[in-house]
Amino acid sequence: MPVPEKLSPSQLFNRCDPGQFTFETTAQLDGTTEIAGQQRAMEAIRFSMGIGHDGFNLFALGPSGTGKQSTVLHYLNRLAPDAPCPDDWCYVFNFEKPRHPKALRLPPGRACALGSDMDHLVETLFSVFPAAFSSEEYQSREKEINESFQERQGVAIEELEVNAREHDIALIRTPGGFAFAPIRKGEVIKPDDFMRLKEEERERIETEMVRLKDSLQSIMAQIPKWQRESIEKLKELNRDVAGFALKPLVGELRTKYAGFDEVMRYIDAIENDIIENFDQFLEREPSPQDMIMVGSGPSKPGPKGRFFIRYKVNVVIDNSHTNGAPVILEDKPASQNLIGDIEHTSQMGTLVTDFTLIKAGALHKANGGYLVLDARRLLLEPFAWEALKKAIRTRQIRIESLAQLYSMVSTISLEPEPIPLQVKVILIGERQLYYLLSTYDPDFNELFKVAADFEDDMDRNPENHIAYARMIGAMAMREKLRPFDRDAVSRIIEHGSRLAGDATKLTSNLQGICDLAHEADYHASQQGRTQVTADDIQAVIEAQIHRSSRIQERIREAMMRQTILIDTTSERVGQINGLAVYSLGDRSFGRPSRITARVRLGKGEVLDIEREVEMGGPIHSKGVLILSGFLGARYAAERPLSMSATLVFEQSYSGVEGDSASSAELYALLSAISEVPIRQWFAVTGSVNQYGEVQAIGGVNEKIEGFFDLCRERGLDGRQGVLIPVSNVSNLMLRSDVVKAVEEGKFSIWPIAHIDQGIELLTGVPAGEPAPDGSWPEGSINARISCRIEAMAKKLKEFESDEENGDKTKCSTEK
């Protein structure tokens, strides 16, 4: 299999031509943005927001920084103004069940108007009622009722007194009440004189006195009844007067809110309660100890007595200034911030509450519109996830005090009437969160039936180039950054390909692009430029790399000092430079690692030392086992593989994972078996399958640059290079210094499709292709390996034969 040509400089970096742009700087763009590269996610968003059935809420999933939230909000902010504006909601006092405040629904802006009207009504009654109850007509009717009672009582007593006199008995009024005494000639008879009367006369008088006492008791028994009748008449008078004074005021409210049945019933209840408690309005101001702050604030004039709280209107949702449907982004989705809360105040050491302390949550604010939540933050808040699911499932918002619900306080709380819920909930989170919830929460798939899966990257084409430019221009305009010239935009697009790890793609991590633009603007300001240039972009990229390269430089320093052994000049049997990627935070870098292989007689085992000491991950172990399959199938298909081999990453003090070094390990094995040295000025990356085909790996740019940096520091001599899988060529977006070195012939990158190509390049010896009879060309790598394995098989057979015949070699040491 022929060795491929090394890659040309043009294949190492996909340049963005600034000439494709019609603008000189982004200041010439109109500042609008378009969502590019997320067609699948946008279709899901449009579907979820359009369908009106239950459960079709949205989960926007994708990596952090891909613009999930900004994309969703951008779409909703365009959609919401055309949707109908939702109604207002307010809580009012429930006169029948005070612990269960009633919820009233009103058109946008009318709830606050109702609150103002109720405040005005109460204020007005403080002047209307005193005037009505101090009028001459009321005073006359009140006096008449009182006098009627007094007259009725006096007439009854007077008639009894006349009756008593007719029978020579006087009715005497005493401090203790009434008493009867016999009289003669208008004078009360003394007891001694009464005893000297004839017995018949005494008996007559006593009989009459008993009769009169009975009559008096009957009268006295009637007096409470007459008094109650008088009180009822007085109450009826008060109700008539209060109702007469209240009627025109309430009539105005009824006219204003005609057609709202719930409000009309509330006004009826208000009217009845005010009439029953009219005396509360006869004082101009409540006592100081009853003064509290309620309603719309301390600047609002009028009575503030606690009794009058019942006439307040607690407007929890006011959509008077809302244009279309609300779009609410809740940054702290705690339970009380979602479904609302019932607050308490402390009075005399006791926690008390009332319906004016009911506070709306995000679900109230988003009712009739859209609610956007961060899934991770939501799940971190206690009880919030269950509260949200309950609200969506029941389609109503039931405000519950968590302290009361979980018995954290012993005070009596309120149970407000639930509010009907009609909202689209959009959760935003990582893919892992979505799949965990989908797997382990049985309610999740019923409540969030639509997933908007955001792409990690987008195709690199002229349309998306323009979209990138518009995004940069809009950000510069919005955040007052310097305009970016088209060379700078082109350099950002090139960096977007590097972040995507693909020359044909652009990253969708817009947060990283925005951060780059901000840093470039700062750099341009430090240089005194009026616009951002490509030099600013390049300087920022290099600065970002420098800030996070401490560990990378320390590792390379250890290699230069031979603390970490990496050979880049000689040729060695069974030794090769593999390439690995280290990820620290959001920064990744490549570094070479020495891989060695040793072979001996055995039974076809390839021993992975990393796995044996539990430092190798399962994917790495799988890659090593594939090597055994390749060796057995190619060289020992019809005979035993009578050898054992050991593989190890030298000076590896942490875990090894991934199969990207499996081709390098195979090259080391082939070199050890054939005893042909490998050129150490090459480094290798790529995985391999059982057929010897080299497969794509990740981090190819970082791996090449890691080996290049070491070679450059030691001195480029034109021999050094890196072998990569041919399928990774499209991923190349290398640094400009690497491209320049390749262009000058100081460094090379070789695309390898098969292991035979790689071993021939690494050793300088042809790999050889099998003849029809299965033999290999003499002197080729494969022929040497085949002969070595055959020789080892013969030796193993001889040893086994000697053991069977009992001819064992004895070793002794004589002193």
Side-chain angles (χ1 to χ4, degrees):
M1 188 173 291
V3 175
E5 294 290 332
K6 57 186 176 183
L7 296 178
S8 65
S10 62
Q11 293 176 284
L12 308 182
F13 188 83
N14 186 5
R15 184 174 176 271
C16 178
D17 182 14
Q20 66 182 294
F21 300 119
T22 59
F23 59 87
E24 292 296 329
T25 71
T26 55
Q28 297 172 358
L29 299 176
D30 57 9
T32 60
T33 59
E34 54 187 64
I35 300 169
Q38 301 293 354
Q39 286 76 17
R40 180 184 292 105
M42 287 304 303
E43 288 175 6
I45 293 172
R46 281 191 289 267
F47 170 71
S48 178
M49 298 304 104
I51 190 170
H53 297 288
D54 293 345
F56 286 89
N57 297 296
L58 180 73
F59 194 111
L61 61 149
S64 178
T66 52
K68 301 185 295 295
Q69 179 174 302
S70 58
T71 299
V72 168
L73 291 177
H74 182 266
Y75 179 79
L76 294 180
N77 287 331
R78 288 193 304 173
L79 179 67
D82 297 329
C85 183
D87 292 333
D88 291 348
W89 284 95
C90 60
Y91 276 106
V92 295
F93 188 73
N94 188 337
F95 295 98
E96 296 179 357
K97 298 178 180 179
R99 285 193 57 209
H100 301 272
K102 293 187 68 64
L104 296 183
R105 183 173 193 166
L106 288 160
R110 299 298 294 274
C112 285
L114 177 62
S116 299
D117 290 340
M118 292 309 305
D119 290 341
H120 178 70
L121 173 64
V122 172
E123 297 291 341
T124 304
L125 289 178
F126 266 84
S127 58
V128 170
F129 274 6
F133 283 92
S134 61
S135 64
E136 291 184 5
E137 181 182 359
Y138 173 80
Q139 297 292 338
S140 174
R141 292 182 62 184
E142 182 186 32
K143 182 178 180 182
E144 180 181 339
I145 292 172
N146 291 331
E147 289 178 350
S148 174
F149 167 72
Q150 296 293 335
E151 181 180 355
R152 189 172 186 180
Q153 179 180 345
V155 168
I157 296 298
E158 185 177 350
E159 289 178 354
L160 181 63
E161 187 176 8
V162 171
N163 190 4
R165 284 178 180 171
E166 290 176 353
H167 296 84
D168 297 326
I169 299 174
L171 178 64
I172 302 173
R173 291 177 173 83
T174 67
F178 292 96
F180 291 98
I183 59 174
R184 178 173 290 174
K185 297 180 180 180
E187 297 291 335
V188 176
I189 301 175
K190 296 179 179 180
D192 293 341
D193 295 337
F194 179 74
M195 294 304 297
R196 286 195 287 268
L197 294 176
K198 293 181 180 180
E199 184 177 356
E200 294 83 1
E201 183 66 14
R202 289 201 306 272
E203 290 179 355
R204 183 188 68 79
I205 292 174
E206 290 175 353
T207 301
E208 288 298 327
M209 290 178 67
V210 169
R211 183 183 64 80
L212 291 171
K213 287 180 180 180
D214 291 340
S215 298
L216 178 61
Q217 289 179 354
S218 177
I219 292 173
M220 298 306 293
Q222 291 291 323
I223 288 176
K225 179 183 176 182
W226 297 337
Q227 189 174 19
R228 288 194 299 272
E229 292 176 355
S230 176
I231 291 174
E232 286 300 322
K233 290 181 180 179
L234 191 58
K235 286 184 178 180
E236 185 65 27
L237 172 62
N238 291 335
R239 281 195 290 267
D240 290 344
V241 173
F244 181 79
L246 184 61
K247 185 175 181 179
L249 301 177
V250 174
E252 293 178 5
L253 293 178
R254 285 196 174 96
T255 301
K256 188 173 182 179
Y257 296 97
F260 305 112
D261 296 339
E262 288 294 325
V263 178
M264 297 300 287
R265 283 192 284 271
Y266 171 64
I267 292 174
D268 292 340
I270 285 260
E271 181 180 20
N272 294 332
D273 189 78
I274 290 176
I275 290 174
E276 291 299 324
N277 297 281
F278 73 94
D279 54 322
Q280 298 287 337
F281 295 89
L282 298 182
E283 295 182 9
R284 282 287 178 178
E285 290 292 338
S287 58
Q289 60 268 27
D290 290 333
M291 294 288 286
I292 61 173
M293 304 310 293
V294 297
S296 56
S299 62
K300 196 170 184 66
K304 306 292 183 182
R306 184 164 186 81
F307 172 83
F308 300 99
I309 289 178
R310 64 177 59 199
Y311 305 125
K312 285 287 181 183
V313 175
N314 180 13
V315 180
V316 292
I317 295 299
D318 174 24
N319 287 314
S320 57
H321 301 293
T322 302
N323 180 23
V327 178
I328 303 299
L329 172 63
E330 180 55 56
D331 285 330
K332 183 172 176 55
S335 178
Q336 63 270 24
N337 291 346
L338 282 178
I339 63 172
D341 194 19
I342 303 173
E343 297 180 344
H344 291 74
T345 59
S346 178
Q347 290 189 3
M348 305 297 290
T350 303
L351 293 176
V352 297
T353 188
D354 57 67
F355 74 96
T356 63
L357 297 177
I358 299 173
K359 304 301 179 185
L363 285 170
H364 294 90
K365 299 173 185 176
N367 200 3
Y370 310 94
L371 175 61
V372 182
L373 300 171
D374 184 277
R376 186 183 64 85
R377 295 177 185 173
L378 176 67
L379 293 171
L380 287 175
E381 293 290 346
F383 315 114
W385 175 239
E386 291 300 323
L388 176 65
K389 290 196 299 181
K390 180 181 178 182
I392 297 175
R393 188 173 55 250
T394 60
R395 300 189 67 183
Q396 61 181 14
I397 314 170
R398 184 181 295 274
I399 301 178
E400 297 173 317
S401 171
L402 289 179
Q404 186 73 21
L405 189 61
Y406 294 96
S407 302
M408 290 184 280
V409 296
S410 58
T411 58
I412 296 176
S413 188
L414 302 176
E415 296 180 16
E417 181 182 357
I419 291 178
L421 177 64
Q422 184 179 3
V423 67
K424 282 288 184 181
V425 180
I426 300 96
L427 293 183
I428 297 174
E430 302 284 339
R431 290 193 178 99
Q432 185 179 12
L433 268 182
Y434 174 81
Y435 294 124
L436 285 173
L437 288 171
S438 179
T439 302
Y440 294 107
D441 191 329
D443 300 326
F444 179 75
N445 290 325
E446 296 181 8
L447 302 178
F448 292 89
K449 297 180 180 180
V450 184
D453 196 350
F454 279 72
E455 300 285 354
D456 298 16
D457 49 45
M458 65 184 79
D459 292 335
R460 183 171 167 181
N461 52 42
E463 292 77 14
N464 288 339
H465 285 179
I466 293 297
Y468 248 55
R470 288 187 177 278
M471 183 267 293
I472 296 167
M475 179 189 60
M477 183 179 298
R478 181 176 62 251
E479 302 187 19
K480 296 180 172 56
L481 305 181
R482 288 165 178 76
F484 291 68
D485 67 19
R486 57 184 180 181
D487 290 329
V489 173
S490 297
R491 186 65 190 94
I492 291 176
I493 290 173
E494 293 167 353
H495 186 63
S497 283
R498 173 58 187 261
L499 294 178
D502 194 328
T504 64
K505 299 287 185 180
L506 290 172
T507 181
S508 293
N509 187 348
L510 302 181
Q511 184 61 53
I513 298 299
C514 291
D515 293 342
L516 176 66
H518 282 95
E519 293 185 40
D521 175 74
Y522 173 76
H523 186 272
S525 70
Q526 297 298 301
Q527 301 299 316
R529 298 191 181 101
T530 58
Q531 60 188 29
V532 181
T533 66
D535 291 339
D536 297 313
I537 303 297
Q538 184 61 36
V540 166
I541 294 172
E542 293 174 356
Q544 290 178 343
I545 295 173
H546 177 72
R547 288 197 298 266
S548 58
S549 62
R550 183 185 65 84
I551 295 177
Q552 181 182 4
E553 290 176 1
R554 296 290 81 79
I555 292 174
R556 190 162 60 248
E557 180 183 344
M559 294 176 184
M560 294 298 297
R561 298 172 63 179
Q562 297 300 314
T563 304
I564 298 176
L565 299 177
I566 299 293
D567 188 357
T568 59
T569 57
S570 64
E571 298 182 26
R572 300 277 181 163
V573 174
Q575 177 178 306
I576 194 169
N577 294 323
L579 294 173
V581 170
Y582 286 68
S583 295
L584 299 173
D586 60 351
R587 166 78 173 142
S588 297
F589 64 90
R591 57 152 289 190
S593 297
R594 174 177 288 182
I595 301 173
T596 59
R598 301 297 296 270
V599 296
R600 64 187 185 279
L601 286 178
K603 297 182 179 180
E605 296 177 347
V606 178
L607 183 65
D608 177 16
I609 294 178
E610 310 290 341
R611 182 179 63 178
E612 293 298 314
V613 296
E614 297 182 351
M615 291 178 63
I619 299 176
H620 176 258
S621 299
K622 173 189 174 184
V624 174
L625 293 176
I626 288 174
L627 305 186
S628 299
F630 172 80
L631 292 173
R634 171 170 281 199
Y635 305 111
E638 298 179 357
R639 60 187 174 186
L641 185 61
S642 303
M643 56 153 278
S644 293
T646 56
L647 283 168
V648 68
F649 276 74
E650 302 289 358
Q651 294 183 289
S652 171
Y653 306 107
S654 59
V656 176
E657 180 59 315
D659 63 350
S660 65
S662 59
S663 66
E665 291 170 324
L666 182 54
Y667 293 136
L669 272 176
L670 297 179
S671 170
I673 298 170
S674 66
E675 298 181 321
V676 177
I678 290 177
R679 298 165 175 172
Q680 299 300 300
W681 50 83
F682 286 117
V684 177
T685 184
S687 68
V688 67
N689 60 27
Q690 294 189 98
Y691 295 96
E693 297 169 334
V694 179
Q695 303 169 142
I697 45 81
V700 65
N701 293 295
E702 291 81 2
K703 292 176 179 179
I704 294 173
E705 291 168 355
F707 187 67
F708 172 81
D709 290 338
L710 177 62
C711 294
R712 180 180 59 181
E713 196 153 342
R714 288 181 173 178
L716 296 172
D717 57 13
R719 296 185 303 168
Q720 296 105 329
V722 177
L723 280 65
I724 67 169
V726 67
S727 51
N728 278 120
V729 172
S730 63
N731 300 114
L732 294 178
M733 286 294 293
L734 293 170
R735 294 194 319 243
S736 58
D737 54 346
V738 181
V739 177
K740 183 178 180 181
V742 171
E743 189 174 357
E744 294 175 353
K746 296 179 179 179
F747 196 76
S748 302
I749 298 170
W750 304 82
I752 303 300
H754 195 274
I755 210 75
D756 287 339
Q757 295 176 326
I759 196 64
E760 184 170 334
L761 181 62
L762 290 168
T763 61
V765 178
E769 295 188 11
D773 60 355
S775 62
W776 300 95
E778 185 177 354
S780 66
I781 292 289
N782 286 317
R784 296 185 185 197
I785 294 172
S786 181
C787 292
R788 179 83 184 278
I789 290 175
E790 185 175 356
M792 296 177 79
K794 288 179 181 180
K795 286 184 181 180
L796 183 62
K797 186 175 181 180
E798 290 174 1
F799 281 123
E800 292 175 350
S801 177
D802 290 343
E803 289 181 359
E804 290 177 0
N805 296 329
D807 184 11
K808 299 181 180 178
T809 301
K810 298 181 180 179
C811 299
S812 62
T813 303
E814 296 181 0
K815 296 183 179 179

